[in-house]
């Protein structure tokens, strides 16, 4: 059976876990900025009880926040990635969940080689309790015949207290569970596909699962059909190796504008290193590194500037030092003094598979020692958290 683990209100839970004095208080995590802007990204149950919701701009609820002493925490992606790595390592060391993979910073999948619902619940609870004891992060668990059905089970585990945070969705209960679920709440059904299904009279997960394959083939790609099969209890999604991305981007809208080139370079270096790590994770190499900068277009009182620059690499690579050096060179192309920058990012493009990559006539194959170094660095960062190993200038 497939297991899905979803961290509850993850960003907010991370802030409470690392700041025990916030326990029981209304807390929101937001991308706050120098203008008092930004939006709410996550919030604790205590904050939700006040009527606050994810996605609300802070300026609209400033009075409510002040009146109820709501704590605002600035989003800290580095912290959240590190805690996610801790969860990954703890579950793997517990050695209960098989084929354990990270799907996103707050979601994980695996398998449990069991069929008895009581045993499945027992071992899922051991994992759930261990995550809490290790990180103080509350999680919900769903178990079923496929990844997508496991996500359906997690939906019920989250929204119905009677499950105690763990829902085991057995085959005999599949139709009832899908019949109560709108297709908007099903993993893999995006807005466009949802509208297509509404147009043919399909509104629930069960109606989708019971649709004719021939009809769906006219509307959906392979991914959509795989979701349909998964809802029918047929495992059809492979998470062991992510699909290759045609471009990889890492960017950030800064909380506070800056005209400091050194600070921008520090961010660009980290973005480039993160992109290189993602590139190696999908066993790919790139041929072009680009950097973009932008001022705050909402500040009409300030001078505006937006530009991007690129560096073409002599040969395809996934080597972090080479990619970082190229990103810094691209930054130097576009940086201009006299502007306050609000956003910056790195994009890797012209991506191909590492195996069988084509070199220029006069290019030398990448030094195997460098590749080994990258593999070691990735393994250390995977085990102990991002940024454990960094590459200097």
């Amino acid at each position: 059976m497939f297991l899905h683990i979803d961290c509850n209100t993850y960003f907010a839970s991370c802030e409470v876990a690392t700041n025990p004095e916030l326990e029981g208080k209304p807390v929101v995590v937001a991308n706050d900025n120098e203008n008092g802007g930004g939006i709410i990204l996550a919030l604790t149950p205590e904050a939700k009880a006040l009527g606050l919701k994810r996605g609300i701009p802070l300026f609209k609820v400033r009075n409510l926040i002040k009146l109820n002493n709501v704590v605002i925490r600035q989003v800290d992606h580095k912290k959240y990635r590190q805690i996610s790595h801790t969860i990954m390592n703890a579950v793997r060391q517990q050695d209960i969940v098989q084929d354990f993979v990270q799907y996103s910073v707050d979601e994980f999948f695996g398998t449990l080689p069991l069929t008895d619902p009581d045993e499945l619940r027992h071992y899922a609870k051991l994992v759930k309790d261990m995550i809490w004891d290790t990180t103080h992060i509350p999680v919900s668990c769903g178990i079923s015949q496929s990844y997508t059905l496991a996500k359906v089970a997690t939906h019920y585990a989250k929204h119905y207290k009677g499950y105690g945070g763990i829902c085991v969705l057995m085959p005999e209960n599949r139709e009832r569970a899908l019949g109560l679920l709108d297709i908007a709440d099903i993993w893999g059904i995006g807005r466009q596909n949802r509208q297509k299904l509404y147009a043919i009279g399909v509104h629930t997960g069960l109606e989708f699962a019971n649709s004719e394959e021939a009809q769906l083939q006219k509307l959906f790609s392979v991914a959509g059909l795989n979701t349909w099969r998964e809802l029918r209890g047929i495992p059809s999604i492979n998470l062991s190796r992510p699909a290759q991305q045609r471009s990889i981007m890492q960017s950030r809208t800064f909380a506070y504008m800056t005209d400091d080139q050194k600070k921008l370079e520090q961010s660009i270096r980290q973005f480039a290193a993160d992109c290189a790590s993602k590139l190696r994770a999908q066993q790919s190499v790139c041929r072009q590194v680009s950097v973009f900068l932008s001022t705050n277009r909402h500040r009409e009182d300030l001078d505006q500037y937006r530009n991007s620059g690129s560096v073409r690499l002599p040969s395809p690579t996934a080597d972090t030092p080479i990619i970082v050096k190229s990103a810094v060179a691209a930054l130097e192309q576009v940086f201009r003094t006299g502007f306050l920058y609000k956003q910056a990012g790195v994009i890797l493009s012209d991506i191909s598979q590492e195996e069988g990559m084509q070199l220029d006539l006069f290019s030398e194959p990448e030094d195997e020692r460098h590749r080994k170094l990258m593999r070691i660095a990735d393994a250390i960062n995977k085990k102990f958290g991002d940024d454990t190993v960094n590459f200097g200038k």
Side-chain angles (χ1 to χ4, degrees):
M1 296 285 274
F2 293 86
L3 168 70
H4 175 239
I5 300 173
D6 193 5
C7 301
N8 302 337
T9 59
Y10 184 59
F11 290 0
S13 294
C14 288
E15 293 301 331
V16 174
T18 54
N19 300 276
E21 69 276 7
L22 299 179
E23 185 74 42
K25 296 181 180 179
V27 179
V28 300
V29 177
N31 57 341
D32 201 6
N33 58 40
E34 69 274 345
N35 300 318
I39 63 172
I40 296 176
L41 303 176
L43 55 170
T44 60
E46 293 80 6
K48 290 180 181 178
L50 299 173
L52 296 171
K53 295 181 180 179
R54 182 178 177 182
I56 294 179
L58 286 174
F59 76 88
K60 289 187 175 182
V61 289
R62 283 290 178 185
N63 291 336
L64 180 61
I65 287 174
K66 185 176 181 180
L67 182 64
N68 292 278
N69 297 314
V70 177
V71 179
I72 301 175
R73 302 293 294 187
Q74 178 69 31
V75 63
D76 186 347
H77 292 287
K78 181 178 179 180
K79 177 196 292 184
Y80 310 148
R81 290 197 304 268
Q82 290 174 337
I83 293 175
S84 183
H85 279 296
T86 300
I87 293 173
M88 280 287 295
N89 291 328
V91 173
R92 283 173 172 164
Q93 290 174 11
Q94 191 184 31
D95 203 24
I96 290 177
V97 183
Q98 298 182 3
D99 308 314
F100 192 60
V101 295
Q102 182 178 31
Y103 179 71
S104 66
V105 71
D106 62 343
E107 287 186 82
F108 311 86
F109 283 101
T111 60
L112 293 171
L114 303 165
T115 56
D116 182 81
D118 291 333
E119 288 187 341
L120 288 165
R121 171 175 287 278
H122 169 73
Y123 284 104
K125 188 175 187 306
L126 290 180
V127 176
K128 184 177 186 293
D129 291 346
M130 182 274 301
I131 293 174
W132 173 260
D133 293 340
T134 303
T135 63
H136 220 57
I137 300 295
V139 303
S140 298
C141 300
I143 303 168
S144 196
Q145 298 167 277
S146 68
Y147 286 129
T148 305
L149 285 174
K151 286 268 289 186
V152 170
T154 302
H155 172 86
Y156 287 106
K158 275 179 171 287
H159 291 89
Y160 294 87
K161 291 184 178 180
Y163 286 110
I166 301 172
C167 176
V168 180
L169 180 57
M170 299 301 290
E172 57 268 26
N173 298 321
R174 180 183 66 86
E175 290 194 358
R176 175 169 172 75
L178 293 179
L180 296 172
L181 199 63
D182 191 284
I183 56 172
D185 295 319
I186 293 176
W187 181 44
I189 304 295
R191 181 177 299 176
Q192 291 185 347
N193 286 341
R194 186 163 69 242
Q195 295 304 321
K196 291 179 183 178
L197 289 170
Y198 287 158
I200 62 173
V202 174
H203 295 83
T204 70
L206 182 59
E207 289 172 341
F208 180 44
N210 288 341
S211 298
E212 293 294 329
E213 183 174 9
Q215 183 182 29
L216 297 178
Q217 285 176 337
K218 300 176 182 179
L219 300 175
F220 301 116
S221 64
V222 173
L225 291 173
N226 282 341
T227 298
W228 171 75
R229 294 187 185 97
E230 291 252 325
L231 290 179
R232 296 167 68 89
I234 305 169
S236 304
I237 296 175
N238 182 8
L239 297 180
S240 61
R241 181 174 176 178
Q244 180 179 313
Q245 295 176 250
R246 295 182 179 180
S247 65
I248 295 175
M249 182 178 75
Q250 188 82 7
S251 66
R252 184 169 302 158
T253 298
F254 303 120
Y256 298 94
M257 295 180 290
T258 182
D259 59 357
D260 189 328
Q261 185 175 0
K262 292 297 182 183
K263 287 185 178 180
L264 285 171
E265 181 181 320
Q266 184 178 6
S267 294
I268 290 298
R269 285 178 173 276
Q270 185 59 60
F271 297 160
D274 290 344
C275 285
S277 179
K278 292 179 181 178
L279 190 66
R280 292 191 295 274
Q282 65 175 32
Q283 299 177 25
S284 298
V285 290
C286 74
R287 193 68 185 269
Q288 183 162 296
V289 180
S290 303
V291 166
F292 65 86
L293 291 176
S294 177
T295 54
N296 189 344
R297 61 185 178 87
H298 299 292
R299 290 290 301 272
E300 296 179 357
D301 57 315
L302 299 176
D303 292 334
Q304 298 294 311
Y305 174 75
R306 179 179 177 86
N307 203 355
S308 62
S310 300
V311 171
R312 187 73 175 172
L313 302 174
S315 60
T317 186
D319 187 276
T320 293
I322 293 175
I323 290 174
V324 169
K325 182 179 179 180
S326 300
V328 172
L331 172 65
E332 292 174 353
Q333 292 177 17
V334 298
F335 178 82
R336 300 290 184 271
T337 58
F339 297 98
L340 289 172
Y341 294 99
K342 183 65 174 177
Q343 187 180 36
V346 172
I347 303 173
L348 305 186
S349 57
D350 198 353
I351 291 175
S352 58
Q353 284 296 104
E354 182 180 27
E355 54 193 38
M357 64 182 182
Q358 297 296 313
L359 299 176
D360 290 338
L361 178 61
F362 301 106
S363 296
E364 291 294 332
E366 197 171 274
D367 194 322
E368 180 57 31
R369 290 177 298 176
H370 274 222
R371 293 189 185 186
K372 185 176 181 180
L373 177 62
M374 296 301 103
R375 289 195 292 268
I376 293 173
D378 289 340
I380 293 174
N381 286 333
K382 185 175 182 179
K383 183 174 182 179
F384 297 105
D386 291 345
D387 307 329
T388 302
V389 175
N390 286 302
F391 295 88
K393 298 182 180 180

